Amino acid sequence: MGEIARKKYKPLQVNPFKLSQPMGATLAFLGVDRCMPLMHGGQGCTSFTKVFFTRHFCEPIAIQTSAVTDAIAVLDGGDYSIVESVKNITKKISPSLIGLHTTGMPETKGDDVCGVAAKIDFPLVTVNTPDYEGGLESGWALTCKALIEQLVNPAQETDDNKLVLLPHVSLQPIEVEKIKEFIEGFGFNVWALPDLSRSLDGHLGEKQAALSSGGISVEEIRALSDAGLVISVGDSMQTCGNVLRKKNPEMRHHHFSHLHGLEAADSLAELLLAETGFSGPPIPVARWRQRLQDAMLDSHFSLGQSRFLVAAEPDQIAGICQSLYDAGGRVTLAISTVDSPQLKKIKAEKILVGDLEDAEQQVEDYDVIVGNFHCEAIAHRHHKGLVLRGFPNWEQVGNPLKNDILYEGGAYFLFECANAATAARDEGRRHPEE
Amino acid sequence: MVNKPKIKELLDESSCTHNQSRKVACNAPTPGATTGGCAFEGAQISLFPYADAAHLVHGPMTCLGSSWETRATGTSYPRRDLTQMGFTTDININDVVFSGEEKVAASIDYIMEHYKPEAIFVYATCVTAMIGDDIDLICKQAAEKHKVPMVPVHAPGFVGSKNLGSRLGGEAALSHLIGTREPEETTPFDINLIGEYNVTGDMWQYSPLLEELGIRILSTLSGDGRIAQICTAHRAKLNVIVCAKSLVSLTRKMEERYGIPSISLSFYGRRDTSDGLRAIAKALGNDDLIAKTEQLIAREEAAIAVKLKPYQAFFQGKKAVLNTGGNKTWSIASALQDLGIEVVATAVKKATEDDRAKARQTLGEKGVLMMNPGVEQAKIIDETGADLLLAGGRSLYTAIKKGIAFADVNQEKKKCYGGYEGLLNLAEDLKNALQNPVFKNVLRRAPWEK
Ligand code: SF4
């Protein structure tokens, strides 16, 4: 654990990789089946968000805007545009839920979205996500919390075979699926909230973009509270676990800061063994654990010679740094989009809340970058290795299938990083003077 | 607060066809049924390509966080291309409550110190316009302090569409840059290119031809543009609007103020490029130039015809359905025809009256103008036996279901289709699409579904 450098005063962000709360909210709603995210604000926020995720996932993205315009922005409390939106959305399609979330503009005006929503006769979940607070991670977590608070029915009984998974925003669809499979291997029935693995994992659907298709259904959400166990992953999601427990105090809640690396995967397996009373893990789990051990050894030589920059959302940084650290990679600099209690635990020499200009100013400190596609320019200018992770990645296809977690994903991730580090050293030899 | 009368005046553009047909203003979005970008995005697009200027977005993270480094606007600027950088005040709750003005001023100082741009555009966005941060005053003070132009851009998203935003961007350039500097020399054939953003280097496909004809691009708004040049734009002999309706108000005002006439054209495909060159020569009104232009056109058309020959044989008898919006409804159609592809239908749902008329003209009487393309296109593919669907990603499934080739025309452009040479890129891409077996293979039935 390194020193956390609270930012020296800088009035602006230069080359930001931080993303906004409304965008996180949108993504969370997309993990609910037949949900239409409705962003309350100017139409630009929605359009940017739609294009952003469409390009990242290479999937059509369902989203609508309340399209607040000048006159409405100044005169009205937002009622009109929300009511009109719901009317117009339901005219053409029949969502099972509308996910109403705000942006900075209506929050600045002081629109009472919850009040308006209460008067609308349609299943609606409302969440306040001003974009002048928090970031992608908190937008996702707040939405997840709202889904629980506003939809889940209270219960007293528990079903010990039923488990709720609460994944943080940076887990890609395949990662959510892999966690579910891992747990299912121990005999549980798993529900993820939100569940991008069923909605944005790249399936060819007929009703493209009209609505999200796949994801956890509204009925399934309502019925989550009889689960015996809830597992939250990522410190941004810990509160959601607690909130879910309020619906049924009999529920047991376990929290993981992340599921990257040998130790984290081990503790999940340990928990599941204890909960089930099994004497050993399912065969594939054991097999992948051996492969990860092997991968750590195979990659340690390259990783051990390399210094890394990791730029991501806090929960993702925590995991990636642990994975690299375990196999000898030194994270000399970690740059987080926003502040988070998670930062204290990160295995990096220096941790900074900042932007990619900060990253570039300290370019002497690292050889390989793990970050989103905006890092490509830095990697290119300074001949650094690059492993593309996080939002957005518009340069490559296959983002929803990138798996870095548990035994299996951990093995692939280490190999990819080690290979990138080796390639960067070769490149360095070709450009020695730079 | 936003300057209301100015926005109203900009909405009331007399050269806009929407006005004549007395339709609702171009910028009235429908809540819950809208997909377009906001005015801020439009302004940014129209000014972004100035690679020697910094673009400071005063607002929360949504506005810039998801929109920087999205457009591949080529530049020949030798220093660090500021277009590929993002600057934002990323305001927080404190700024909302107590104003973010100090942050803007400090950000300008920071940018000047670290990046030394030739100008800074400062954009108001929804929240900062609402809280009333006075970017005009800050810009004025900063311009005096740093001795470079500071341009406030008043196009917060809530005032309207992308289109309106482009106008507001043009307006900002007009009031703060154009006419503030004199060119070192002028020529009788000085033109401004307006509304060409050099996305994927489109402009470079035809700018060498203009140069060869002795026509000088005095300035651009804003493809491969420089701040020093746009400041001298008032000395041009002609404004050439390249496919951008949104900037007609700017050129109209430049005509009123500086007596610069304007023409509107496109450099998409062979015919458009030739017609465009002709129009410029004619507007500059020099007989020698006109003759020279005809020679150049003849030479270029002959050269491209040779290069296209193998493709034309391939495209012979192929039919395409086109589902896109705006001027693309006819400009792509005409490029397809240049390649020898028959365009059996084009979507006009999102097109202006003008564009619809042009589409009709391009496709001829037999061509179908689709008002509801989502529903119609499948039927038309069946009826006409079309081989190719050009549309946005959403329609991919239609193409696959029909087992025909698909090309995404809305995807962020990575390749340039402009000018004569661009036609070769388009031909190559479409040939690849038509030859690609994926559209037939991908929906193969699983063994357990047979
Ligand atoms: S609508 Fe307003 S807040 Fe949203 S992106 Fe546009 S300017 Fe920014």
Side-chain angles (χ1 to χ4, degrees):
Chain A
M1 274 162 266
E3 140 220 14
I4 302 180
R6 300 284 168 207
K7 194 142 144 196
K8 54 193 177 320
Y9 179 71
K10 186 161 131 182
L12 75 173
Q13 289 233 21
V14 182
N15 295 347
F17 70 116
K18 179 180 161 190
L19 296 166
S20 70
Q21 284 206 136
M23 295 180 69
T26 300
L27 199 53
F29 281 126
L30 288 172
V32 178
D33 190 30
R34 303 189 56 75
C35 174
M36 176 60 85
L38 170 60
M39 202 187 272
H40 181 35
Q43 55 184 333
C45 304
T46 302
S47 162
F48 280 141
T49 303
K50 188 183 176 89
V51 172
F52 185 94
F53 288 131
T54 303
R55 288 180 70 185
H56 180 85
F57 288 105
C58 291
E59 294 292 322
I61 297 294
I63 181 176
Q64 259 308 336
T65 173
S66 63
V68 176
T69 49
D70 199 4
I72 301 167
V74 178
L75 300 174
D76 162 269
D79 298 32
Y80 165 82
S81 47
I82 294 170
V83 173
E84 273 302 290
S85 298
V86 174
K87 222 161 69 193
N88 282 321
I89 290 170
T90 52
K91 222 184 330 194
K92 281 179 278 172
I93 46 175
S94 43
S96 52
L97 183 73
I98 288 178
L100 176 63
H101 52 299
T102 59
T103 57
M105 186 231 286
E107 294 286 346
T108 309
K109 282 195 293 164
D111 283 3
D112 173 21
V113 280
C114 295
V116 181
K119 284 184 254 157
I120 296 175
D121 185 23
F122 193 87
L124 217 76
V125 163
T126 346
V127 52
N128 295 85
T129 45
D131 48 0
Y132 48 73
E133 282 173 15
L136 191 76
E137 222 172 64
S138 58
W140 166 279
L142 285 170
T143 304
C144 186
K145 185 165 155 259
L147 284 163
I148 296 169
E149 280 172 342
Q150 296 170 42
L151 289 180
V152 176
N153 296 320
Q156 274 103 41
E157 305 290 294
T158 55
D159 168 358
D160 276 345
N161 284 327
K162 184 169 174 180
L163 189 149
V164 181
L165 170 70
L166 302 169
H168 66 79
V169 71
S170 301
L171 290 170
Q172 292 300 308
I174 193 74
E175 295 181 315
V176 175
E177 185 170 304
K178 291 287 178 183
I179 302 173
K180 279 165 61 185
E181 279 176 11
F182 189 95
I183 300 172
E184 278 160 2
F186 288 79
F188 288 96
N189 301 316
V190 188
W191 274 265
L193 178 73
D195 193 351
L196 294 184
S197 77
R198 281 154 74 185
S199 63
L200 287 175
D201 69 340
H203 54 265
L204 209 51
E206 275 198 55
K207 279 228 163 131
Q208 295 212 30
L211 276 175
S212 66
S213 65
I216 187 168
S217 77
V218 173
E219 282 321 301
E220 287 165 339
I221 299 175
R222 289 193 201 280
L224 283 181
S225 50
D226 63 352
L229 269 176
V230 53
I231 292 182
S232 49
V233 182
D235 284 4
S236 60
M237 296 300 283
Q238 194 162 11
T239 319
C240 290
N242 299 334
V243 171
L244 186 54
R245 264 199 80 220
K246 282 200 190 125
K247 299 280 180 172
N248 182 354
E250 294 302 308
M251 204 182 258
R252 298 182 300 285
H253 174 205
H254 295 274
H255 176 69
F256 294 83
S257 286
H258 60 78
L259 286 177
H260 285 69
L262 189 63
E263 199 187 316
D266 277 351
S267 34
L268 177 60
E270 203 177 332
L271 168 73
L272 296 173
L273 287 172
E275 285 286 347
T276 53
F278 284 13
S279 57
I283 291 165
V285 169
R287 189 73 190 100
W288 272 112
R289 188 175 192 279
Q290 291 169 333
R291 290 197 186 106
L292 174 58
Q293 289 173 305
D294 195 42
M296 289 168 76
L297 285 172
D298 293 349
S299 56
H300 87 277
F301 186 64
S302 178
L303 293 176
Q305 306 177 54
S306 302
R307 300 166 307 153
F308 287 85
L309 159 70
V310 178
E313 301 290 329
D315 287 345
Q316 192 176 20
I317 302 186
I320 288 175
C321 289
Q322 183 71 51
S323 264
L324 291 170
Y325 175 86
D326 288 349
R330 270 172 301 141
V331 180
T332 38
L333 181 61
I335 299 197
S336 170
T337 49
V338 289
D339 211 336
S340 152
Q342 180 83 292
L343 299 190
K344 287 202 289 290
K345 300 180 221 159
I346 286 172
K347 292 269 198 327
E349 285 168 23
K350 192 158 150 205
I351 301 135
L352 189 72
V353 178
D355 56 33
L356 295 180
E357 184 194 56
D358 301 326
E360 191 156 5
Q361 280 167 356
Q362 302 177 43
V363 77
E364 298 303 321
D365 292 350
Y366 49 86
D367 317 300
V368 181
I369 305 172
V370 184
N372 73 9
F373 103 109
H374 289 304
C375 297
E376 204 177 59
I378 306 177
H380 190 76
R381 263 196 293 279
H382 305 284
H383 306 291
K384 303 288 175 189
L386 182 63
V387 176
L388 285 168
R389 285 299 184 275
F391 295 102
N393 177 4
W394 295 329
E395 289 300 308
Q396 298 176 329
V397 289
N399 296 311
L401 301 188
K402 281 190 172 160
N403 176 19
D404 299 341
I405 47 125
L406 297 174
Y407 302 126
E408 179 182 348
Y412 286 121
F413 178 67
L414 289 181
F415 287 141
E416 192 181 339
C417 289
N419 290 336
T422 305
R425 272 194 299 280
D426 292 347
E427 172 79 0
R429 276 195 277 279
R430 275 198 289 279
H431 299 273
E433 75 281 18
E434 281 158 336
Chain B
M1 199 61 220
V2 200
N3 191 334
K4 290 254 177 49
K6 195 187 260 179
I7 287 164
K8 222 170 146 214
E9 176 208 339
L10 283 162
L11 283 172
D12 188 31
E13 175 50 58
S14 49
S15 349
C16 176
T17 34
H18 277 155
N19 263 13
Q20 274 131 36
S21 59
R22 297 210 156 272
K23 283 204 170 170
V24 229
C26 321
N27 79 319
T30 318
T34 293
T35 45
C38 66
F40 155 69
E41 184 183 3
Q44 192 177 232
I45 287 170
S46 69
L47 300 169
F48 231 178
Y50 289 117
D52 57 354
H55 303 262
L56 173 63
V57 178
H58 183 37
M61 200 34 98
T62 309
C63 311
L64 179 82
S66 44
S67 73
W68 70 284
E69 227 187 346
T70 45
R71 289 171 75 87
T73 49
T75 183
S76 56
Y77 185 57
R79 288 172 48 201
R80 183 158 183 182
D81 175 8
L82 297 176
T83 298
Q84 300 305 331
M85 295 190 67
F87 299 95
T88 180
T89 49
D90 181 24
I91 58 159
N92 55 35
I93 180 85
N94 244 356
D95 305 318
V96 174
V97 178
F98 299 109
S99 134
E101 293 180 355
E102 268 177 42
K103 229 177 181 177
V104 180
S107 298
I108 291 176
D109 291 346
Y110 184 96
I111 294 170
M112 286 311 300
E113 185 192 334
H114 290 84
Y115 297 95
K116 304 192 176 45
E118 298 297 322
I120 300 179
F121 294 97
V122 181
Y123 299 78
T125 59
C126 291
V127 173
T128 55
M130 283 181 70
I131 59 176
D133 281 355
D134 189 353
I135 58 170
D136 286 313
L137 182 68
I138 302 165
C139 282
K140 198 165 158 253
Q141 290 166 345
E144 279 159 19
K145 178 169 169 191
H146 295 288
K147 307 279 179 270
V148 303
M150 300 287 163
V151 185
V153 185
H154 292 283
F158 62 71
V159 299
S161 67
K162 216 152 96 171
N163 201 299
L164 173 67
S166 296
R167 278 189 215 177
L168 294 167
E171 193 70 15
L174 179 67
S175 37
H176 291 89
L177 297 172
I178 295 172
T180 58
R181 225 183 261 197
E182 290 302 322
E184 277 172 20
E185 40 154 20
T186 54
T187 80
F189 301 145
D190 281 350
I191 64 168
N192 299 319
L193 288 179
I194 308 290
E196 162 67 88
Y197 306 129
N198 201 29
V199 179
T200 66
D202 268 345
M203 186 184 129
W204 294 330
Q205 298 298 322
Y206 60 83
S207 57
L209 301 177
L210 294 174
E211 204 176 300
E212 187 184 330
L213 292 169
I215 298 168
R216 182 172 75 157
I217 301 171
L218 179 67
S219 79
T220 73
L221 198 133
S222 52
D224 197 13
R226 302 290 181 277
I227 294 300
Q229 288 176 341
I230 189 67
C231 292
T232 67
H234 59 297
R235 295 296 177 218
K237 304 293 184 295
L238 179 69
N239 272 331
V240 176
I241 310 177
V242 188
C243 261
K245 293 240 154 36
S246 46
L247 289 164
V248 286
S249 6
L250 170 75
T251 52
R252 181 175 50 78
K253 283 182 191 165
M254 285 179 75
E255 176 147 23
E256 283 162 15
R257 251 183 237 182
Y258 307 112
I260 307 173
S262 70
I263 52 171
S264 178
L265 46 84
S266 121
F267 287 105
Y268 205 94
R270 174 177 56 86
R271 274 174 300 168
D272 280 0
T273 305
S274 297
D275 290 348
L277 292 172
R278 259 184 211 115
I280 295 173
K282 195 170 143 239
L284 288 169
N286 176 296
D287 288 342
D288 277 353
L289 179 68
I290 294 172
K292 233 167 107 184
T293 306
E294 285 305 331
Q295 279 167 12
L296 179 129
I297 290 171
R299 186 193 76 200
E300 289 294 319
E301 289 206 350
I304 200 72
V306 174
K307 291 183 196 161
L308 282 178
K309 215 167 203 148
Y311 290 106
Q312 260 152 347
F314 179 82
F315 290 135
Q316 170 101 51
K318 296 275 194 288
K319 293 176 190 156
V321 171
L322 179 60
N323 175 5
T324 176
N327 62 328
K328 283 200 221 162
T329 52
W330 50 269
S331 68
I332 296 185
S334 102
L336 291 172
Q337 290 171 340
D338 287 346
L339 297 176
I341 297 171
E342 186 191 341
V343 184
V344 291
T346 189
V348 292
K349 189 179 167 194
K350 288 186 276 180
T352 63
E353 295 298 324
D354 245 10
D355 288 329
R356 280 178 195 170
K358 276 219 175 97
R360 172 54 70 213
Q361 208 188 338
T362 312
L363 262 63
E365 280 315 305
K366 250 179 66 208
V368 184
L369 303 189
M370 300 183 285
M371 279 305 285
N372 193 355
V375 181
E376 285 173 79
Q377 59 186 10
K379 215 175 90 217
I380 292 169
I381 292 169
D382 285 339
E383 283 167 7
T384 59
D387 312 271
L388 175 70
L389 174 64
L390 296 102
R394 262 185 223 216
S395 300
L396 173 64
Y397 199 80
T398 311
I400 293 172
K401 233 165 57 184
K402 302 285 167 201
I404 69 169
F406 179 81
D408 192 337
V409 284
N410 287 351
Q411 220 189 18
E412 291 304 303
K413 268 177 54 173
K414 292 220 159 151
K415 244 188 202 173
C416 146
Y417 293 153
Y420 297 111
E421 292 290 320
L423 210 47
L424 287 174
N425 288 338
L426 180 66
E428 185 59 31
D429 282 359
L430 294 183
K431 183 169 170 236
N432 289 340
L434 284 162
Q435 286 179 330
N436 200 320
V438 69
F439 305 105
K440 292 212 165 58
N441 289 339
V442 68
L443 272 207
R444 204 184 122 90
R445 280 186 181 281
W448 53 89
E449 283 173 341
K450 276 180 184 158

